[in-house]
Amino acid sequence: MPHLLDGDQHELDPLERQVVAVFVDGVRVLGLPRSIGEIYGLLFISQSPLSLDDLVLRLQISKGSASQGLRALKSLGAVREAEVGAERRTYYEPAIELKRLVGGFIREQVRPHLESGKTKISRLAETAQEIDDQERREFLGERIERLETWMRSSGKVLPILQKILGQ
Amino acid sequence: MPHLLDGDQHELDPLERQVVAVFVDGVRVLGLPRSIGEIYGLLFISQSPLSLDDLVLRLQISKGSASQGLRALKSLGAVREAEVGAERRTYYEPAIELKRLVGGFIREQVRPHLESGKTKISRLAETAQEIDDQERREFLGERIERLETWMRSSGKVLPILQKILGQ
DNA sequence: CGGTTTGTTCAAAAAAGTTTGAACAAACCG
DNA sequence: CGGTTTGTTCAAACTTTTTTGAACAAACCG
């Protein structure tokens, strides 16, 4: 039976809502779905670890979303399972060190794309070799060279980024 | 009348298709639409500037997409209007300095989000002041402090990023 | 065992984002 | 002027991504 006045214990209070909104926006910039921002946001502002059911209840999202969102956050290293004595249910708490978050994001989202980009560009270079028209081939060589430089720069920047953000 | 054998002059050759694919993937990582990758990719690999109609014809996209895509790319500083003598139609060429591209992306996509994030966090800090429960308020203070540190780190990293990529 | 709790999976529904194309505006030109 | 070319706008169509929830699996427990 639905509650008529929604004065429910489980609903987010205004401050929680604000925090969740911050993270929803944040993950959106990173290209991650809203539910991931909601989950991380609520964990971030909770004083004690939360279970999947807590998230479902308080964020009003489906079990499916909560389960998938937690999986993604775990793989990013953004949440971990909390040690809770003698409980069957698992509870989650957020990783709050920027270093860790950035590291996970780079590992999971950035590196794979960089790698596949490099592969594609190698194949490109091969295709360009086969062009007959010399002028065209030289032009392509220059442009592909530039792409390779971009890739090298990007690769170089990541560890530096991590270093700066690890403070 | 549709062409039956598609041996059309205007279709992309295999190399062009490969390049376009690289950029489609690239912009996707940045959260930009496919058409923007297609347009930039084709400009990147063209030896001479292209007009809006060229893009429509060769990429087989609508005028609407081409127009909007070019606008976005211009605002990112990723394409510029080429000087072509005595032509009414405007022709576009790509900016190919990584520095410029990164700068535009940071200016248009990153900074605005950082700014709005900072604003939201300030409001958050105010809301947290009004919490009655002292323990809760102190906890919130710590977490909000951390958010502010994250924001400062991000702000600091941008110029460094630009500097490294500007080579 | 059989029942309960906890969590996962995945097809379908919903939401969000992108593209299209027709209508419009603006610049040019004979 | 009136016609043509060039480019923009934006509602509707389409595509892609996300979310839902019912079915399932796995662990526990009396």
Side-chain angles (χ1 to χ4, degrees):
Chain A
M1 186 222 291
H3 299 276
L4 292 177
L5 287 175
D6 275 350
D8 292 338
Q9 184 50 48
H10 65 256
E11 295 218 332
L12 299 188
D13 68 34
L15 187 132
E16 286 169 327
R17 255 199 291 279
Q18 270 183 280
V19 173
V20 165
V22 166
F23 282 97
V24 165
D25 281 18
V27 302
R28 165 174 250 277
V29 173
L30 304 177
L32 302 173
R34 148 179 285 270
S35 62
I36 288 189
E38 294 178 324
I39 294 168
Y40 185 84
L42 186 57
L43 290 173
F44 185 84
I45 210 59
S46 290
Q47 263 168 91
S48 47
L50 302 179
S51 68
L52 187 144
D53 280 342
D54 293 334
L55 294 167
V56 168
L57 187 67
R58 309 222 47 224
L59 294 170
Q60 318 252 58
I61 61 181
S62 66
K63 266 172 57 157
S65 268
S67 175
Q68 291 171 200
L70 282 171
R71 173 165 39 167
L73 285 164
K74 276 186 274 184
S75 86
L76 286 168
V79 310
R80 56 170 140 275
E81 308 193 352
E83 291 308 323
V84 183
E87 265 273 21
R88 176 161 166 219
R89 191 185 309 223
T90 68
Y91 285 81
Y92 299 90
E93 59 190 9
I96 60 175
E97 314 81 41
L98 187 55
K99 180 169 43 177
R100 206 168 199 327
L101 300 174
V102 172
F105 186 75
I106 288 178
R107 172 171 36 74
E108 297 295 313
Q109 311 277 310
V110 182
R111 291 243 187 250
H113 283 292
L114 267 190
E115 291 314 315
S116 90
K118 280 182 194 161
T119 307
K120 287 217 185 75
I121 291 168
S122 301
R123 280 202 289 270
L124 207 53
E126 286 165 25
T127 308
Q129 291 300 331
E130 295 163 14
I131 299 287
D132 284 332
D133 178 351
Q134 190 198 340
E135 194 194 331
R136 178 72 176 149
R137 195 174 56 244
E138 284 174 2
F139 173 80
L140 294 173
E142 277 169 40
R143 288 285 150 114
I144 290 170
E145 181 66 44
R146 187 166 283 267
L147 279 179
E148 286 164 345
T149 307
W150 290 3
M151 290 292 143
R152 274 195 297 280
S153 297
S154 309
K156 240 189 295 185
V157 97
L158 296 185
I160 296 171
L161 216 156
Q162 295 198 45
K163 195 172 164 196
I164 295 166
L165 294 176
Q167 291 158 15
Chain B
M1 188 218 291
H3 299 276
L4 291 176
L5 287 175
D6 274 352
D8 291 339
Q9 185 50 49
H10 66 256
E11 295 218 333
L12 299 188
D13 68 34
L15 188 132
E16 286 169 328
R17 255 198 291 279
Q18 271 183 278
V19 173
V20 165
V22 166
F23 283 97
V24 166
D25 281 18
V27 302
R28 166 174 249 278
V29 173
L30 304 178
L32 302 173
R34 148 180 284 269
S35 61
I36 288 188
E38 294 179 323
I39 294 169
Y40 185 83
L42 186 57
L43 291 174
F44 185 84
I45 210 59
S46 290
Q47 265 171 87
S48 48
L50 303 178
S51 69
L52 187 144
D53 280 342
D54 292 334
L55 294 167
V56 167
L57 186 68
R58 310 225 43 225
L59 294 169
Q60 318 252 60
I61 60 180
S62 67
K63 265 172 56 154
S65 269
S67 174
Q68 291 171 198
L70 282 171
R71 173 165 39 171
L73 285 165
K74 276 185 274 184
S75 86
L76 285 168
V79 310
R80 57 169 141 275
E81 308 192 352
E83 291 309 323
V84 183
E87 265 272 20
R88 175 157 167 223
R89 190 185 311 224
T90 69
Y91 285 81
Y92 299 90
E93 59 191 10
I96 59 175
E97 314 81 39
L98 187 54
K99 181 168 42 175
R100 208 168 199 325
L101 300 175
V102 171
F105 186 75
I106 289 176
R107 172 171 36 74
E108 296 294 314
Q109 311 276 309
V110 182
R111 292 242 185 251
H113 282 292
L114 268 189
E115 291 314 314
S116 91
K118 280 181 192 161
T119 307
K120 287 216 185 76
I121 291 167
S122 301
R123 280 203 289 267
L124 208 52
E126 286 166 25
T127 309
Q129 292 299 330
E130 295 164 14
I131 299 288
D132 285 332
D133 177 351
Q134 190 198 339
E135 195 195 328
R136 177 71 178 150
R137 195 175 55 244
E138 284 173 1
F139 173 80
L140 295 173
E142 278 170 38
R143 287 288 150 114
I144 291 170
E145 181 66 44
R146 188 166 283 266
L147 280 179
E148 286 164 345
T149 307
W150 290 3
M151 289 292 142
R152 275 194 297 279
S153 296
S154 310
K156 241 191 291 187
V157 97
L158 295 186
I160 296 171
L161 217 157
Q162 295 198 47
K163 195 172 165 197
I164 295 166
L165 294 175
Q167 293 158 16

